[in-house]
Amino acid sequence: MANLLKYIFATFVGPQILNRFWIKGIARHSKQELNEILRHDFIAIETILGDKKFIFGDKVHEIDCTIFGHMASFTFLPYDHEAKRILREEFPTIKNHMDRMAKMFFSESQFRE
């Protein structure tokens, strides 16, 4: 039954989602271009973070929480994908920031890769 619902959902809602991505511009880029955009965003975060524990030094700030919230949506998913791989392999500073934030605010059982 679940597989049937998945195909029905994909058939009727899938084109609407793709249309929204096209309108917003996301679907107009190749996968390679999207990965480069992602890398540039990561480079900006890593540059600002530098060698500090958090964005503004040793204390957590709202910006750290915002970055964590956005990036946790793909960092801590139970499956592997390109954004997670890029972060893990190319940006260890941000990965360490994410791990530090997760340990600070959540139990270890809640966030596992």
Side-chain angles (χ1 to χ4, degrees), residues 44-55:
I45 294 168
E46 191 171 61
T47 300
I48 293 168
L49 188 59
D51 60 355
K52 301 178 296 241
K53 285 178 68 174
F54 302 105
I55 294 295

Side-chain angles (χ1 to χ4, degrees), residues 16-57:
Q16 293 174 4
I17 293 171
L18 288 175
N19 186 41
R20 283 188 180 203
F21 284 163
W22 181 262
I23 289 169
K24 291 182 184 255
I26 296 169
R28 298 177 194 198
H29 296 285
S30 70
K31 187 175 180 176
Q32 184 178 8
E33 289 172 324
L34 290 173
N35 287 339
E36 284 307 307
I37 292 168
L38 179 65
R39 279 186 180 91
H40 287 292
D41 290 344
F42 285 167
I43 289 169
I45 294 168
E46 191 171 61
T47 300
I48 293 168
L49 188 59
D51 60 355
K52 301 178 296 241
K53 285 178 68 174
F54 302 105
I55 294 295
F56 289 122

Side-chain angles (χ1 to χ4, degrees), residues 21 71 81 97:
F21 284 163
M71 295 177 62
H81 55 89
H97 179 266

Side-chain angles (χ1 to χ4, degrees), residues 44-107:
I45 294 168
E46 191 171 61
T47 300
I48 293 168
L49 188 59
D51 60 355
K52 301 178 296 241
K53 285 178 68 174
F54 302 105
I55 294 295
F56 289 122
D58 290 335
K59 289 185 176 182
V60 176
H61 191 271
E62 291 171 352
I63 295 172
D64 295 294
C65 296
T66 301
I67 291 171
F68 178 79
H70 284 288
M71 295 177 62
S73 65
F74 66 86
T75 302
F76 297 107
L77 290 174
Y79 54 88
D80 207 22
H81 55 89
E82 195 67 18
K84 188 175 181 178
R85 185 195 62 74
I86 290 170
L87 178 67
R88 183 178 55 240
E89 294 176 5
E90 299 177 30
F91 299 93
T93 303
I94 300 172
K95 177 72 172 82
N96 292 338
H97 179 266
M98 294 296 297
D99 292 341
R100 192 169 27 259
M101 292 289 290
K103 287 177 186 173
M104 185 177 270
F105 294 106
F106 300 97
S107 69

